[in-house]
Amino acid sequence: MCRHLAYLGPPVTLASLVLDPGHSIYEQSWAPADMRGGGSVNADGFGLGWYPEGDAAVSGGPVRYRRNVPIWTDENLPGLAGSIRSGAVVAAIRNGTVNMPYGQAAVAPFMLGDWLFSHNGRIPGWPESTLKLAERLPVADLLEMDAPVDSALLWALITNRLAEGIPPADAVAAVVQEVEAAAPGSRLNVLLTDGEQLIATTWTHSLHTRRTADSLTVSSEPFGPGKWNEVPDRSLLVATATTLHITPMEGPE
Ligand code: GLN
């Protein structure tokens, strides 16, 4: 299973989240501690998404840096990550599911408008198990998917609901339910943020939270200093930098 993290709070360098701490996501790429049977290394690419601060925030939306190489091979990353500061960050490292395509376009975070999205998990029976769900999407949404990969379809299902004006937490919860109903045994651990609010799920994998007075970090695996709390499986997390609500998710009807 892939690893991912999100941060909301005062601006920090990307390196202080992704590279520098003990057991950072950088280290988790070759030495993850809790893969739960889903692969052994996260070497099929990595992605960083962040919301630029101040003058750099020209377009207002997030900026993304994705590569299709193991994170430890990118010699430009330490310099970039050490010099970019942001108050809202998503990072992911990929362990591609067997039979899913390889390449930069399949690596999280996925992005649309103000939103960044990451998925840790898999949809069993892909793609047959999802055909009925995919059929309901506008053809344009399917053609615009970054890659023919389960994570990108999940993202298309969620963005379709966001476009209908459904609140993000409801959109995520509904898509988890319908995908689980179509493909029982799905692993649907997602992160979704617009830089202000964060929605996350635990659906058969781990997520941990670390709070300070003015920040929230969530991560598949704890890293660095501070006190981490494990989010129970099958939870919906709705948060900002200073608020955190975790509620149980029901199974599909
Ligand atoms: N199934 C997704 C992919 O292939 C996510 C993989 C994962 O969580 N290990 O990219």
Side-chain angles (χ1 to χ4, degrees):
M1 296 290 111
C2 307
R3 316 277 75 189
H4 57 198
L5 70 81
Y7 169 84
L8 296 175
V12 294
T13 64
L14 301 187
S16 72
L17 285 172
V18 171
L19 301 180
D20 300 341
H23 201 60
S24 63
I25 206 165
Y26 183 76
E27 183 182 307
Q28 291 169 38
S29 58
W30 70 86
D34 181 12
M35 293 287 274
R36 305 195 181 184
S40 52
V41 288
N42 296 288
D44 298 323
F46 70 94
L48 307 174
W50 68 95
Y51 295 78
E53 295 288 316
D55 290 351
V58 222
S59 73
V63 174
R64 181 172 57 169
Y65 181 69
R66 293 192 293 181
R67 303 264 342 253
N68 62 353
V69 297
I71 192 170
W72 67 83
T73 65
D74 187 334
E75 62 183 23
N76 298 314
L77 183 63
L80 286 174
S83 57
I84 295 168
R85 297 173 72 82
S86 175
V89 179
V90 172
I93 49 177
R94 181 173 185 227
N95 165 237
T97 301
V98 175
N99 292 331
M100 297 285 168
Y102 172 75
Q104 181 177 303
V107 178
F110 298 91
M111 185 164 97
L112 186 72
D114 283 345
W115 297 103
L116 290 173
F117 173 78
S118 172
H119 167 224
N120 162 20
R122 60 186 280 267
I123 301 179
W126 169 267
E128 287 77 12
S129 58
T130 60
L131 296 184
K132 288 266 176 300
L133 297 178
E135 265 173 23
R136 282 194 244 138
L137 287 175
V139 176
D141 290 11
L142 293 170
L143 293 176
E144 283 169 6
M145 271 170 49
D146 276 12
V149 55
D150 55 0
S151 308
L153 178 71
L154 260 187
W155 180 221
L157 292 167
I158 292 169
T159 51
N160 182 255
R161 281 183 155 80
L162 293 176
E164 285 171 1
I166 296 174
D170 296 348
V172 167
V175 168
V176 167
Q177 300 298 329
E178 72 177 14
V179 172
E180 174 66 27
S186 286
R187 308 186 96 171
L188 304 169
N189 307 277
V190 309
L191 301 178
L192 172 67
T193 186
D194 60 0
E196 298 286 334
Q197 54 186 328
L198 171 70
I199 318 296
T201 58
T202 52
W203 194 266
T204 77
H205 217 307
S206 59
L207 191 71
H208 298 80
T209 60
R210 181 180 63 189
R211 296 185 81 179
T212 66
D214 54 4
S215 77
L216 170 71
T217 311
V218 304
S219 175
S220 304
E221 296 187 12
F223 61 86
K227 182 175 178 308
W228 291 86
N229 290 312
E230 181 156 15
V231 179
D233 193 23
R234 300 196 176 219
S235 295
L236 178 70
L237 178 151
V238 180
T240 64
T242 54
T243 62
L244 173 63
H245 300 284
I246 297 174
T247 48
M249 295 176 82
E250 302 297 329
E253 301 290 305

